[in-house]
Amino acid sequence: MTHLIAARSQMAMSLAFHILFACVGIAMPLLMIVAEWRYRRTRDEVYLLLARRWAIGAAIMFAVGAVSGTVLSFELGLLWPHFMGWAGAIIGMPFSLEGFAFFTEAIFLGIYMYGWDRVSPRAHLGAGAMVALSGVVSGIFIVIANAWMNTPVGFRLVGGNPVDIDPLATLTNPAALHETVHMTIAAYAATGFVVAGIHAAMWLRDRANLFHRRALAIAFAVGAVAAILQPLSGDASARAVARLQPIKIAAFEGLFVTGPHAPLAIGGIPDVGARRLRYAIELPSMLSIMTYHNPDAVMRGLDSFPENDWPSPLIAVHLAFQIMVGAGFAMAALALWGAWLAWWRRNLFGSVWFMRALALAAPLGLIAVEAGWVVTEVGRQPWIIYGVMRTAQAVTPMPGLYITFPIFSLLYLFLGVTVAFLMWRQVMASPTSAELAALAATEER
Amino acid sequence: MMPFALWFVAGVLIVALTIYVLTGGADYGGGVWDLCAAGPRAQAQRDLIAHAIGPVWEADHVWLILVVVILFDGFPPAFARIMTAMHVPITLMLIGVVLRGSAFSFRSYGLGQDRARREWGRVFSIASLITPILLGIIIGAIASGRIPANPHVLRDFVTPWLTPFCFGVGVFTLAIFAYLAATYATVEAGAVGDPALADDFRRRAIGAALAVGVIAGVVLTLSIHGAPLIWNGLTHRGWTWPIFWLTTIFALAALWALWTRRFALARICAAGQVALILWGWALAQFPYLLEPDLTIFNAAAPVRTLDILALALAAGALLLLPSYRYLLIVFKRDRRAAVAVATPPPRD
C-alpha cells in the first residue's frame, strides 16, 4: 500500500463512517419532532413514546457523529497539511460557520434530551426544531466546502499561490447549490427509508401495533417526499457536473470516446487498457439527450483528457454511480407505490407485499449515500482541489500511515458494530400491542 | 500596523481555548473522578458526575472544534505545521476523544444491563484520563518551540513531544481538569442537597488543588530547559509578576473557600486560577504561535479572510452565547429536579 493510497483510504474510511451518522443526525430530529408535535396535538401517548424512543436513537447517532466529525476536522490537517495550509484561508469560512451550526445543534440536543421535565412543552418542541434546523445547516456548510474542492473559486493563482482571496465567494461556488440540495434530500430519503423499513419489518410481526404504524407513517412520509424529489435533483446535478467537470461525467458513464449521440450506459465494467466499457446495456443517444436535450450534442469522453487526469480507480466511480442511481430509482418507485396505496387505496398498510418491499429497502438510502460520496470524491481524483492541487501534493510527509489506517478502521468497526447492536436492542425493546393496550387502559383510569 | 481583525481573531482563539478548558476540561475531569469513585457513596459520585456532564458535554466539546477551525482559517501555516509534526499525539488524542464520547453516550442511552453499562463506564473513564494528558503533551510541544518547520525525517515526528517538559504539561493538564471537575462537583452536590457527597468532592478538590500547585512548580522548573521561551517570558517581562501573584491569590482563595465550604466562591476562584494559567502561557509565548519563526502576524491569513472570520465569529457569538447560557441555566441553576434523566420510563 503506497503512502498516498494509505492516506486516501484513511480519509475515505473516516468519511464513509461519519456520513452515515451525519445523515441520520440531520434527518432523525425531524422525525422526532413530528412525533412530539403529533403528541401535543392529539394527546395520544403512543406518539410521546415514539418521540422519546426516536430521540434516544438520534442522541446515540449524534454523539458518534460528533466525535467522528471531530476526527475529520483534525484529519484534514493530519493527512493533507499542505492542502489546509494552502486553502485554509479560503475555505475556512464554511467550516467556521459550520462550527456555529454544530454548536447550536449540540446545545439544543442537550436541552431536548435532558429537558423533558425542565422546560415548557413549547420550549421543548422549539429545542427539537432548533436541532433539526441546525443539523441541516451544518451539513450544508460542510458540503459547500466539498463543492469548493470540486469547483474552486475566490482567489487568483500567482506563482502557484492564492492571492486576492475572497472567502465569501466560496459560499456561492458553482457546485455548492446542486451538491447541497442533493445531499440534504439524500439525508432525508436515506433516514426516512431506513426508519420506515425497520418499523415495516416490526409491523409484519405484530400487525395491530399502533407504535409501528405511526412510526412508519411519519418516517415513510418524510422518506417518500425526499425520494420522489431526488431524481429531479440528480438530473440537475448531472447536467451541472457535465458543464463544470466534464471528465467526471465521462467517468460516471464509462464514456471513453468523444462524440455526438453518446449512449447512456447501464451497468458494465470500464476496461481502461482497452479503452472501452464492457458488458453494459447502452441506450443510444440517451446521454446526449439527458445532458443537453439534444441527441446531436457532443459529449466529451475520457479520450479528450490526458490519462493522468482520469479519476482512479475508474471502476469504483462508474460502479458507484450505477449503484447510486439504481438505489435512487428503486426508492422513488417504492415512494410512488406507497403514495398510491395511501391516496387511492386510503390505506398505506393495505398491502403486505409493499411492507415487505419497504423492509427490504431499508438500507437502500444509506447505500446510495455511500455510493454518492464515492462518485463525487473518487470522481474528483487525482485532484484534491480540482484543477489546482493534486492529492499527491497535499499528503503529509508523516510516514507509517499504513499503521494509523487499520487502527482507525478497527476503532470504527468496533463502534459501528456496537451502535448497530444498541439500535437492534432499541428496536427489539419497542412496545408490543399488548403493552400499548395496557398503556391506554392506564390512561383511561 | 496590525489590523483590528487579527487582534480579535487571536483573542477569540484564546478565549475559546479557555472556555474549552473550563467546561470541556471539567467534563474530562469528571471522567477521572468516575474512575476514582470510592467509599460508601461511590455510586452516588458516579451518578452526580453523569448528570452534571450529560446535557452539556457535547456543547462543551464544540469549543475545541472552534479552536481548530479558527486556527486553520486564521493561521493556516501554523495549523499545517502542528498537524504535521504532532501527528502521533494528535492521533492518539483523537482515539481518546472518540472512545470517551461514544462510551459516555452508550452508557447513558444504552438501555442495557448493568454489566454492559459498567464496561462502557470504564472505557469512558479511562479515555477521560488519557485524553487530557495527550492534549497537554500537544500544548507542551507547541510551547516548547520544538516543532520543526520541515519534518521530513522520522525522528522529527517523535522528538518534539517526547520530552520531560511535554509530559509534565500533560500531567499538569490532567490535574487541572480533575481539580476543576471536583470543585464544580461540590456545587452540584450541594445543589442536589447532599452535604456528604459535597464533602467527598471537597476532599478531592483540595487534594487536586495541592497536586496542581506541586506539578506547576515541577513544570516551571522543567521549562527552564524544556521551553526557554516560556521560561524567559514568565521571568523577564513586566506583566509577568502581576499575573503570577494574581494566579496565586486565586489559587489560595479557591483553597480557602473549599476549606470553609464556600463552594460557589471556590468554583469561581478555581476557574479564574485556571484561566490565568492559560493566559500566562499565551502572554509568555506572545507573539509566537510556533517558535522560532511563526508569529500571529506572519502566520495570519490575508486581511480579508480575517475580517470576514471576525465578522462570522461576532455574528456566531450573538447566536451562540444566549443559547449556551440558556443551556447552562436550564441544567446548572437548579439541580434539585435534574435527576429526571433522558432514559425513557420503564416499560411495563
Side-chain angles (χ1 to χ4, degrees), chain A residues 56 62-63 70-71 74 77-78 81 88-89 92-93 96 103 110-111 113-114 117-118 166 398-399 415 418 422 425-426 435, chain B residues 58-59 61 63 69 73 80 84 87 98 106 110-112 120 157 304-305 308 320 326 330-331 334 337-338 342 344 347:
Chain A
I56 288 173
F62 180 81
T70 307
V71 171
F74 279 89
L78 289 174
M93 188 64 195
S96 47
F103 227 134
I111 293 169
M113 291 307 297
Y114 289 81
D117 309 311
R118 294 182 66 76
D166 180 6
M398 164 79 194
L415 286 184
T418 306
L422 287 176
R425 202 162 58 188
Q426 264 275 84
E435 286 166 343
Chain B
E58 280 163 316
H61 173 75
W63 290 104
V69 169
D73 194 357
T84 306
H87 194 115
V98 168
F106 296 161
L111 297 176
W120 286 120
F157 292 98
R304 184 158 163 76
T305 299
I308 290 170
L320 182 74
Y326 179 57
V330 168
F331 294 105
D334 174 22
R347 59 191 197 90

Side-chain angles (χ1 to χ4, degrees), chain B residues 42-59:
Chain B
Q43 195 51 47
Q45 292 166 8
R46 289 207 174 95
D47 291 345
L48 183 80
I49 288 160
H51 294 313
I53 296 177
V56 295
W57 74 268
E58 280 163 316

Side-chain angles (χ1 to χ4, degrees), chain A residues 93-397:
Chain A
M93 188 64 195
F95 281 111
S96 47
L97 294 176
E98 192 273 342
F100 284 108
F102 180 38
F103 227 134
T104 312
E105 196 179 356
I107 288 171
F108 286 99
L109 187 75
I111 293 169
Y112 192 87
M113 291 307 297
Y114 289 81
W116 286 97
D117 309 311
R118 294 182 66 76
V119 297
S120 70
R122 190 184 292 254
H124 193 260
L125 197 55
M130 287 299 285
V131 177
L133 182 70
S134 48
V136 177
V137 173
S138 171
I140 285 176
F141 282 125
I142 292 298
V143 177
I144 286 176
N146 175 269
W148 181 87
M149 293 162 75
N150 281 290
T151 54
V153 291
F155 63 95
R156 276 191 317 119
L157 267 181
V158 174
N161 287 310
V163 295
D164 295 343
I165 288 172
D166 180 6
L168 285 182
T170 59
L171 297 181
T172 52
N173 74 72
L177 185 64
H178 71 257
E179 273 203 26
T180 51
V181 169
H182 200 58
M183 182 70 244
T184 307
I185 294 175
Y188 288 115
T191 309
F193 267 78
V194 77
V195 174
I198 290 168
H199 287 289
M202 296 301 285
W203 178 86
L204 284 167
R205 293 160 43 151
D206 181 7
R207 295 192 186 170
N209 192 317
L210 277 181
F211 181 82
H212 293 305
R213 285 179 83 104
R214 292 197 168 143
L216 198 154
I218 295 174
F220 180 72
V222 170
V225 170
I228 289 169
L229 291 175
Q230 192 66 316
L232 304 175
S233 150
D235 174 56
S237 300
R239 278 184 288 120
V241 172
R243 184 164 45 83
L244 298 166
Q245 296 169 287
I247 190 174
K248 254 179 132 171
I249 213 100
F252 296 170
E253 290 294 335
L255 183 69
F256 284 92
V257 184
T258 303
H261 303 285
L264 183 76
I266 297 175
I269 295 172
D271 183 339
V272 176
R275 300 263 190 285
R276 54 175 289 220
L277 188 66
R278 293 185 189 277
Y279 318 118
I281 302 167
E282 298 196 345
L283 308 179
S285 302
M286 269 313 280
L287 187 58
S288 292
I289 293 172
M290 287 179 74
T291 313
Y292 297 107
H293 304 295
N294 174 8
D296 297 324
V298 173
M299 292 290 299
R300 292 182 69 182
L302 288 163
D303 63 0
S304 67
F305 303 91
E307 194 172 342
N308 67 348
D309 283 354
W310 291 10
S312 100
L314 196 61
I315 188 168
V317 182
H318 177 69
L319 287 184
F321 188 73
Q322 307 298 311
I323 292 170
M324 174 184 78
V325 173
F329 275 110
M331 288 159 71
L334 269 175
L336 291 173
W337 185 3
W340 178 76
L341 285 173
W343 258 292
W344 276 274
R345 302 270 295 276
R346 295 270 151 213
N347 182 8
L348 182 60
F349 299 85
S351 161
V352 172
W353 281 106
F354 173 67
M355 286 298 155
R356 286 180 185 148
L358 206 54
L360 278 178
L364 273 188
L366 296 175
I367 291 171
V369 164
E370 295 287 9
W373 273 94
V374 172
V375 167
T376 192
E377 293 296 81
V378 182
R380 193 194 60 236
Q381 302 298 333
W383 305 98
I384 192 163
I385 308 173
Y386 185 69
V388 176
M389 183 188 285
R390 286 184 183 260
T391 314
Q393 290 171 278
V395 72
T396 179

